[in-house]
Amino acid sequence: MSDHEQVTGVGAYVVVFLALMVLTSLTVGAAFVDLGPFNDVVALAIAFTKATLVVLIFMHVRHASRLTKITVVAGFLWLLILFGITLTDYFSRGFLG
Amino acid sequence: MSAEPTGRTHYLNADYGVKSWLLTIDHKRIAILYLISITVFFALGGLMAVLMRLELATPVGDMVQPDTYNRLFTMHGVLMVFFFLLPSIPAVLGNFLLPLMIGAKDLAFPKINLASWYIYSIGGLFTLWSMLHGGVDTGWTFYTPFSTAFSNTYVISTAVGVFITGFSSILTGLNFIVTIHRMRAPGLTWFRLPLFVWAHYATSLVMVLGTPVLAITIFLLGLERLFHIGIFDPALGGDPVLFQPMGWVYSHPAVYILVLPSMGVVSEIVTAFSRKRIFGYKFVAYASVAIAVLGFLVWGHHMFVSSQSPYAGVIFSFLSMLVAVPSAIKVFNWTATLYEGSISWDTPMLYALGFIGLFTIGGLTGVMLATLGIDIHVHDTYFVVAHFHYIMVGGALMGYLGGMHFWWPKITGRMYPIFWSKLSALVIFIGFNLTFLPQFLLGYLGMPRRYHAYPEDFQVLNVMSSAGASILGIGYLIPLVYFIWSMRYGKRAEDNPWDAFGLEWETSSPPPTHNFLETPTVSLEAYDYADREEKRRAAEVSASGAVEPG
């Protein structure tokens, strides 16, 4: 870590920790409500928010250099591409009957 | 290698004895250790190929048993891919040249560099042990369910060898990435880097990101074979086809680990022997990165006929053809560099031109194979064998030999015999084409790969191929002999025998242990031969002006 990076205060960690706990309870709570296919969407949206908080605050990416930021974004984009083209196979296997 | 009579100390005579080599952390000495090791594996892999081609000279299986033949082609593939081609240019030429080219004293992590050679050697010993105990017969790809449930050969010990060796590749890649980011000489910006360095940067990304997938795949294979944990075997609840995307997510990018460094070598040679700045520097640099990235998205083209959805096949077909774009950019830019260049036909240039021609054939047949209809017709035939040998041997190996001939004076401080080296380039080019062109025809006519016997109709083409392989074998022996000969008897090389551009040519041949007596500063663009000439002339004028009175 270079010298000019800002240091995140303890307060921010506590807030994020509480936010993660609240979001976890929300996930559990949402599981008991029948939203049809949207149950998955809600659960994934909450998970995405939690992961973003962890990456930005706990993993210090918010104050990291632009090179680190671009590496993180590229990593997620890459995962998306790999999932995407794997699913082209998975979803279209039944098309021919 | 004998000591210099002038008494100049360099990395070869700085220290003597086995210990000074086995415990060295000098990147140049580690490169030599790699050179010796990969040459041994190349010779063994080549021997397997000779035995195969001898068997295939007649239609009936009359020399080796079918099982032996299966082991021959498997061990040939395993040795050549994992123990020769993958480390060839990066671990030998890359190790030797990267610090020299960027004006650094060594790689970022010299001890990790030495560790990578030991890891490679341990992996190699596992594989050699398996070979001596009877080898393995699964094909170099270790396809399941054969490798997990049916093969009764040394699958695990060979796989462990490959698994271990993978880590040496990861460490080399990591070392290169950090070195290129952190240790460039003052003035050496990213777009002044030699294209050899760009190619190695792209290669290192593939090594670091792709090789762990190979490790995971082999690990899962071992779990199932040893402990019957159901991953690939349907009887245990697994999926046998799962192995293929996992294997090819590494193994296809691995092809680019082989060929990208070779492209870097060709960029250096083509500019040096055309006396010109490369045409479209940035395009060639970015093309390396594009090939590395796209290489990860094409695994499905190995699965067109193995239960992958045809719709996914269409997407993978398209993605595979995309790889042809950056590859073609490189070929066109090398050709454009030659245009109006001041070309000299030295040995490295002969190899580089051979590379361009053979790689183009390999690449274009790759586009044919990426086409769904053609692939279904020629799948698992000799057409595929010929295609990937044009890439791996015609491409990667020609580049390696071109690079060895280009930098040999720098590595050893000695010149090799010109006549014999040009002859070897010619013999290899002819032998290679005679071996593999007939295989395209055989494959198109329907001869499947991996059989030790075939119908009589195919004999003429097979005999041509076997004859070519003999010529090719002689072609490889010639450089081996004169390289070894030159270390003692070769003419002493100048610091820059080709008058080439680049920091590695500015230090002495062979270089001192810490490469440069003073850290160099870079003020010119890469391959700026015209500007260098101008500066030289200006320096001559001012030097002659200085002695004039007045």
Side-chain angles (χ1 to χ4, degrees):
Chain A
M1 216 182 295
S2 57
D3 300 333
H4 56 79
E5 271 179 25
Q6 272 179 266
V7 181
T8 312
V10 180
Y13 291 135
V14 174
V15 171
V16 172
F17 175 73
L18 291 176
L20 290 175
M21 287 297 120
V22 170
L23 286 167
T24 306
S25 326
L26 210 62
T27 311
V28 177
F32 289 102
V33 185
D34 187 10
L35 299 171
F38 287 99
N39 272 101
D40 290 341
V41 178
V42 170
L44 282 171
I46 297 174
F48 180 79
T49 315
K50 286 163 70 181
T52 311
L53 284 173
V54 169
V55 171
L56 287 180
I57 316 283
F58 282 169
M59 294 170 78
H60 298 183
V61 171
R62 192 166 58 135
H63 297 302
S65 66
R66 280 197 292 179
L67 183 65
T68 310
K69 281 181 184 158
I70 218 171
T71 309
V72 171
V73 173
F76 280 104
L77 201 66
W78 193 243
L79 193 67
L80 210 66
I81 292 170
L82 291 179
F83 276 165
I85 50 180
T86 304
L87 291 177
T88 59
D89 179 25
Y90 188 78
F91 284 143
S92 61
R93 275 188 199 174
F95 285 9
L96 291 181
Chain B
M1 275 162 257
S2 59
E4 299 272 317
T6 51
R8 193 176 67 77
T9 310
H10 49 73
Y11 82 101
L12 289 170
N13 67 7
D15 213 347
Y16 289 97
V18 176
K19 213 172 134 189
S20 78
W21 280 90
L22 292 182
L23 296 179
T24 182
I25 49 169
D26 181 351
H27 66 103
K28 298 181 288 302
R29 284 192 166 207
I30 296 169
I32 304 279
L33 293 176
Y34 264 114
L35 173 63
I36 296 166
S37 329
I38 68 163
T39 307
V40 171
F41 285 113
F42 176 70
L44 285 172
L47 185 70
M48 311 272 170
V50 168
L51 292 174
M52 271 189 280
R53 282 318 319 172
L54 273 177
E55 166 61 69
L56 292 172
T58 57
V60 286
D62 45 11
M63 197 182 86
V64 293
Q65 297 291 320
D67 277 341
T68 313
Y69 187 81
N70 292 348
R71 290 164 203 226
L72 282 177
F73 71 67
T74 302
M75 296 311 295
H76 168 72
V78 168
L79 291 177
M80 287 302 202
V81 172
F82 295 111
F83 295 96
F84 173 69
L85 284 168
L86 280 169
S88 63
I89 298 184
V92 177
L93 294 173
N95 244 337
F96 194 95
L97 292 163
L98 260 188
L100 285 166
M101 282 184 165
I102 65 169
K105 288 189 168 72
D106 205 313
L107 286 171
F109 308 115
K111 286 181 183 166
I112 288 184
N113 195 20
L114 180 64
S116 88
W117 179 73
Y118 276 102
I119 293 169
Y120 166 85
S121 304
I122 294 168
L125 289 176
F126 263 93
T127 306
L128 279 181
W129 182 89
S130 324
M131 225 173 85
L132 292 173
H133 283 74
V136 63
D137 66 348
T138 59
W140 75 275
T141 45
F142 300 107
Y143 265 18
T144 56
F146 183 65
S147 62
T148 43
F150 301 102
S151 173
N152 52 7
T153 54
Y154 287 82
V155 179
I156 287 295
S157 53
T158 312
V160 166
V162 172
F163 177 87
I164 294 172
T165 301
F167 287 92
S168 83
S169 191
I170 295 173
L171 294 179
T172 303
L174 187 73
N175 223 335
F176 285 179
I177 290 175
V178 178
T179 308
I180 296 169
H181 269 275
R182 309 293 299 179
M183 297 177 69
R184 302 192 308 276
L188 190 58
T189 57
W190 280 90
F191 290 112
R192 280 179 180 171
L193 285 174
L195 289 163
F196 181 88
V197 178
W198 268 100
H200 274 75
Y201 187 77
T203 308
S204 305
L205 289 179
V206 184
M207 284 171 159
V208 171
L209 295 174
T211 319
V213 183
L214 172 77
I216 293 164
T217 313
I218 291 177
F219 185 70
L220 292 177
L221 189 154
L223 276 187
E224 179 166 305
R225 196 176 158 93
L226 291 174
F227 305 111
H228 303 289
I229 294 169
I231 293 155
F232 304 113
D233 184 357
L236 299 168
D239 176 357
V241 186
L242 177 64
F243 184 84
Q244 296 188 24
M246 291 193 73
W248 288 114
V249 164
Y250 167 76
S251 296
H252 198 85
V255 176
Y256 300 116
I257 300 182
L258 316 179
V259 85
L260 273 170
S262 214
M263 291 170 157
V265 169
V266 170
S267 296
E268 298 297 318
I269 295 176
V270 165
T271 50
F273 295 98
S274 309
R275 288 273 165 272
K276 260 181 76 186
R277 181 166 164 74
I278 194 147
F279 182 85
Y281 173 95
K282 280 193 182 175
F283 276 87
V284 182
Y286 282 137
S288 288
V289 181
I291 290 172
V293 171
L294 288 171
F296 277 105
L297 306 179
V298 298
W299 73 84
H301 72 211
H302 295 273
M303 301 173 61
F304 286 159
V305 296
S306 44
S307 85
Q308 180 180 255
S309 143
Y311 297 93
V314 172
I315 289 169
F316 280 113
S317 171
F318 172 74
L319 287 168
S320 304
M321 287 182 189
L322 275 187
V323 184
V325 176
S327 308
I329 287 176
K330 282 179 181 272
V331 170
F332 286 131
N333 285 23
W334 292 323
T335 318
T337 308
L338 295 173
Y339 179 69
E340 291 198 333
S342 165
I343 296 171
S344 46
W345 305 97
D346 290 295
T347 314
M349 187 63 159
L350 296 183
Y351 277 105
L353 293 175
F355 171 98
I356 296 175
L358 299 179
F359 173 75
T360 304
I361 296 176
L364 288 175
T365 49
V367 176
M368 288 170 76
L369 286 168
T371 315
L372 286 163
I374 297 178
D375 185 73
I376 288 167
H377 176 63
V378 297
H379 183 86
D380 257 351
T381 68
Y382 266 85
F383 192 91
V384 178
V385 176
H387 153 71
F388 72 71
H389 279 88
Y390 264 83
I391 297 289
M392 292 180 170
V393 185
L397 187 51
M398 287 296 270
Y400 170 70
L401 286 174
M404 284 303 290
H405 284 87
F406 189 44
W407 286 292
W408 186 256
K410 181 57 63 184
I411 295 172
T412 62
R414 302 282 185 157
M415 288 301 290
Y416 45 81
I418 304 296
F419 168 78
W420 287 101
S421 61
K422 288 188 178 179
L423 184 74
S424 79
L426 193 69
V427 170
I428 288 174
F429 187 80
I430 293 170
F432 176 83
N433 280 304
L434 188 57
T435 311
F436 292 105
L437 266 178
Q439 294 187 8
F440 277 125
L441 301 175
L442 282 168
Y444 198 76
L445 294 171
M447 178 168 165
R449 64 194 284 203
R450 297 180 168 174
Y451 280 83
H452 77 311
Y454 53 85
E456 276 181 20
D457 291 352
F458 293 144
Q459 190 174 11
V460 173
L461 288 168
N462 267 299
V463 167
M464 282 168 75
S465 183
S466 292
S470 321
I471 297 172
L472 192 57
I474 293 167
Y476 291 140
L477 276 178
I478 301 172
L480 186 70
V481 172
Y482 64 67
F483 275 148
I484 294 172
W485 176 89
S486 76
M487 286 193 286
R488 191 164 183 89
Y489 304 105
K491 191 164 71 81
R492 280 186 200 286
E494 297 160 30
D495 291 348
N496 188 358
W498 317 113
D499 197 20
F501 201 97
L503 290 179
E504 79 269 29
W505 300 111
E506 287 178 21
T507 187
S508 46
S509 298
T513 302
H514 292 296
N515 297 344
F516 300 95
L517 299 176
E518 274 176 53
T519 304
T521 311
V522 179
S523 59
L524 291 176
E525 302 303 313
Y527 318 115
D528 206 345
Y529 284 95
D531 201 29
R532 188 180 72 171
E533 279 307 304
E534 223 166 79
K535 286 200 169 161
R536 273 185 189 169
R537 269 198 296 272
E540 276 170 25
V541 169
S542 67
S544 60
V547 292
E548 278 171 25

